[in-house]
Amino acid sequence: MSDIVRRDPRKEWIARNRLHPEHSEVLAELCGGASPSEWIGPSGLTRRNPHAVGFTGPNGIKRIDRSGAQQAATQPGGRQAQPKDTRRRVEIETPHFLVAVVPDLPGGRLSSHDRDVLGLARQLADADPERPGAVLAIVFGAHKETTFDEAGVDRLLPMEDAESSGYLSELRIAALQSVERELAPRYWLLPDSSLGGGELGRRLAARLGERPATQVWQVEADVDSDTGWRCTARGAAGTKDITRDLPRVALALAECAEPVSETRHATQAVRLNQALPDVLGRIEDLGEVAVDPASVSLAEAEFILSAGNGVKDWEGYHHAAQVLGATEGASRVAVDDGYMPRDRQVGATGTWVSARVYVAVGISGAIQHLQGIQSCDKVVAINLNEGCDMVKRADLAVIGDAGEILAALVAHIEHYREQQQENRDAA
Amino acid sequence: MPHNATSSSHAGLQVAVLVSIGRHPLTARARRADQDARAVEMALSLDDAAIRLVHAGGNDDDNEEALRGYLGMGIDEINVIKQASNADIVPALVTSLRDAAPQLVFTGSRAEVGEGSGLVPYLLAEALGWPVINGLAQVESIEHGVATVLQALPRGKRRRLRVRLPAIATVDSNAPPARQSAFGPARRGELAARACSSMPDELQAQWHMQTARKRPKRLKIVKSASARDRFKAAAAKAEGGSGQVLSDVSPEQGAEAIFKLLKEEDVLR
């Protein structure tokens, strides 16, 4: 169906003129026939439904528009134009060089840091439109990311062979070394994050014999430089700026460049021809150690169960936090009322948290609290009030009594754990 | 407290700690480097370990003051490898470690002065062919040439690793804090200086170093064709919109949905 709205001035005029003999038919037609407010009954009498007249305005107040135009706009199957994807598709068939990026993928998805580094890689690859380069993303293990094309990845090299989990930097370095041998990227860019890219990049640089630039936060074109690029990097524990030519291996800080937003890229999968060499690992991973979630500081906790005014059963709440293995947080009201200690307060006056999953139990979402959870990935709200700000912010909101839902969740998890245990025993 | 490792059978364990000159973040005075001091603390927490502190670099008065900070932690001697101020210290350290052949090398993860790239442990490991672990939080046990250690992960998590010795381990601010430095032992301790040929770091001479500029704050740029959209983005309160709202569900159904999300995000243990 065409998106062009065809107007019929005559019908609009009839719809406005309540004395016109065809008024009701035309109005019904413009309304799309859904719950007309006026119709001819079987006995020939005109029947009216006063509840169907008008529409609910933006403030929740019922408005009656006699012009007929507004009613026509509210008809179902509205012609709300879908926001069209206007991003340019870019395919680079024969790249002149490669810019390799090894994203961290915390939790299996591109972090904003990864996107910034990919944006920087795009900057390096697209500098010369005559001789475009391609951005190669090297991804270890399984991932959940589906938007590599939007992040600016031309070539994707999944390393499924390397085992997906655990601490395998020795294996990964061997894999990156074989990428270097086969594809010989011109630049290696990694996010300078504390464990993932920061460590891998330093190992890679040591292995390749390159002297990397670490903590790079700015890259500019520079004709005087050998590589054509000049970078600014932090040094001496963040108190100095080092300006130097951009080396082959660079570890970049967050916000080093703008992430890609205007183009979509091909994300062609590529494979290495040779299998990865076997590496004798001298570091053996024995798995993660269970840490008491209460001992984790709120600012760096990964999973927070936060309580507010809506929590009545505090025993149940603490039990739920223990069963879930979540760090406890609180809104200001809960702290002021003395149910939670001050150091557990989340929000502008308390801690700015960076949890991956934040479960807000009975928190309506004051703006100060929402500021504190700005950088959380997934927010789950359990609340009685459907219209509150926390429900608007949440990725999943469950409307209902907090105590009952928490109890059901605890029961569910305990049941699930029992099943797991049984499966393990059977196996 | 995780201070005393539970091992008993690593008598005669040779531990080297690489220490550097630190710089106080506010007063900019020379001091013992924070992470290196934590590395010394980590070494002191091992029972029956012979600890040897190694410092490579220039030896000014200021630096001596700072190095004595380590002596004040209960160390008798620091081996100072004298280098020119613009030298690349890695070759000298490689020679020194190869001669001393310690089983474990502790060091901070990055220096507080100079380039501070945090590369030294990796370069040493590459040159010596030893494994390297970063973010060491605790040494649990050392038995038969194999160390079991805890590695600090982001978000307060810990991972247990088993590493074959000799190995290099870097310590960052997740490790237990260093003990205070006492004045008397710091005076009494000895700085055993040894001259060593220094390799000038030529690449670094070409760099331009200056006091760190404040990084520009990233602007929130709304790319949109229509003025209405731009105005809405600037003025309107953030609306989730994309979120899923479950109303009129039983607590069990709600719990089920939450459980599914937690499972998907892999936060349940």
Side-chain angles (χ1 to χ4, degrees), chain A residues 109 116 144 166-167 170 192 194-195 198-199 202-203 205-207 210-212 214-215 217-218 232 234-245 253-259 261-262 280-291 293 296 299-303 323-325 354-357 359 367 378 380 382 386 389 391-399 404-405 408-409 412-413 416-417, chain B residues 23 25 88 109-119 122-123 126 129-135 140 148 150-164 172 174 201-204 206-219 221 223 237-259 261-269:
Chain A
R109 296 202 184 86
D116 294 344
K144 299 181 214 156
Y167 186 66
E170 287 174 319
D192 198 350
S194 65
L195 262 186
E199 184 207 350
R202 286 180 174 86
R203 281 180 195 268
R207 182 63 57 89
E210 299 283 344
R211 184 155 184 184
T214 58
Q215 299 197 295
W217 61 275
Q218 196 173 39
T232 312
R234 285 275 194 251
T239 57
K240 288 264 190 282
D241 268 346
I242 303 172
T243 312
R244 56 184 286 195
D245 297 350
L253 291 176
E255 301 198 1
C256 54
E258 288 295 327
S261 63
E262 281 171 347
L280 176 70
R282 288 164 299 181
I283 306 174
E284 191 186 341
D285 187 359
L286 302 182
E288 267 186 37
V289 184
V291 188
V296 179
E300 60 170 12
E302 186 176 29
F303 176 27
V323 170
L324 288 170
S354 61
R356 215 147 56 69
V357 181
V359 182
I367 188 73
K378 292 269 177 200
V380 180
I382 302 176
E386 197 170 341
D389 286 346
V391 170
K392 283 180 195 150
R393 163 74 172 84
D395 298 278
L396 170 68
V398 181
I399 310 301
E404 285 173 17
I405 292 175
L409 185 60
H412 202 104
I413 288 172
Y416 168 76
R417 293 226 169 106
Chain B
R23 179 181 174 280
D88 182 7
S109 59
R110 73 173 49 149
E112 293 179 7
V113 291
E115 188 188 356
S117 64
L119 268 169
Y122 299 97
L123 293 173
E126 201 61 39
W130 295 356
V132 55
I133 12 181
N134 60 346
E140 288 192 320
T148 310
L150 287 187
Q151 184 188 33
L153 302 183
R155 302 188 174 287
K157 289 189 281 193
R158 296 280 183 270
R159 179 157 59 193
R160 189 169 284 134
L161 299 176
R162 193 183 289 154
V163 60
R164 207 163 307 153
D172 59 20
N174 287 313
D201 187 351
E202 280 148 11
L203 203 54
Q204 195 164 359
Q206 304 166 10
W207 300 348
H208 177 64
M209 265 216 199
Q210 61 184 25
T211 313
R213 269 185 295 151
K214 204 172 171 194
R215 285 180 64 183
K217 206 173 170 199
R218 177 180 275 180
L219 297 175
I221 300 166
K223 286 188 185 118
K237 213 158 49 163
E239 273 179 47
S242 60
Q244 184 193 3
V245 179
L246 300 179
S247 49
D248 304 328
V249 292
S250 69
E252 282 71 32
Q253 285 167 326
E256 172 91 44
I258 296 173
F259 176 75
L261 187 138
L262 298 182
K263 197 92 212 328
E264 236 166 58
E265 290 298 319
D266 204 21
V267 286
L268 290 178
R269 277 188 297 271

Side-chain angles (χ1 to χ4, degrees), chain A residues 9-40:
Chain A
R10 183 171 170 273
K11 277 192 179 154
E12 285 178 12
W13 175 71
I14 295 174
R16 284 198 300 275
N17 184 356
R18 272 176 290 157
L19 300 177
H20 197 280
E22 292 170 28
H23 174 71
S24 55
E25 290 98 272
V26 168
L27 204 59
E29 192 185 321
L30 285 180
C31 288
S35 69
S37 58
E38 230 180 80
W39 68 96
I40 308 293

Side-chain angles (χ1 to χ4, degrees), chain A residues 95-242:
Chain A
H96 283 84
F97 60 92
L98 287 175
V99 181
V101 176
V102 188
D104 273 349
L105 297 174
R109 296 202 184 86
L110 287 174
S111 64
S112 64
H113 194 170
D114 290 338
R115 285 179 197 275
D116 294 344
V117 175
L118 283 168
L120 179 63
R122 266 288 36 109
Q123 203 180 320
L124 296 179
D126 296 340
D128 186 358
E130 299 292 302
R131 307 167 63 80
V135 173
L136 168 76
I138 300 159
V139 176
F140 289 102
H143 63 85
K144 299 181 214 156
E145 187 57 60
T146 52
T147 58
F148 280 116
D149 54 340
E150 292 169 25
V153 175
D154 295 310
R155 304 279 187 274
L156 186 70
L157 176 56
M159 289 280 187
E160 304 287 352
D161 323 354
E163 287 164 56
S164 55
S165 63
Y167 186 66
L168 299 151
S169 42
E170 287 174 319
L171 279 179
R172 291 185 174 185
I173 285 303
L176 293 183
Q177 230 182 334
S178 46
V179 172
E180 165 81 14
R181 261 199 309 276
E182 276 194 32
L183 302 173
R186 185 182 289 182
Y187 294 109
W188 283 95
L189 299 181
L190 291 99
D192 198 350
S193 53
S194 65
L195 262 186
E199 184 207 350
L200 202 61
R202 286 180 174 86
R203 281 180 195 268
L204 178 71
R207 182 63 57 89
L208 300 182
E210 299 283 344
R211 184 155 184 184
T214 58
Q215 299 197 295
V216 173
W217 61 275
Q218 196 173 39
V219 175
E220 292 160 323
D222 180 12
V223 282
D224 301 335
S225 151
D226 296 340
T227 52
W229 295 95
R230 185 184 57 204
C231 67
T232 312
R234 285 275 194 251
T239 57
K240 288 264 190 282
D241 268 346
I242 303 172

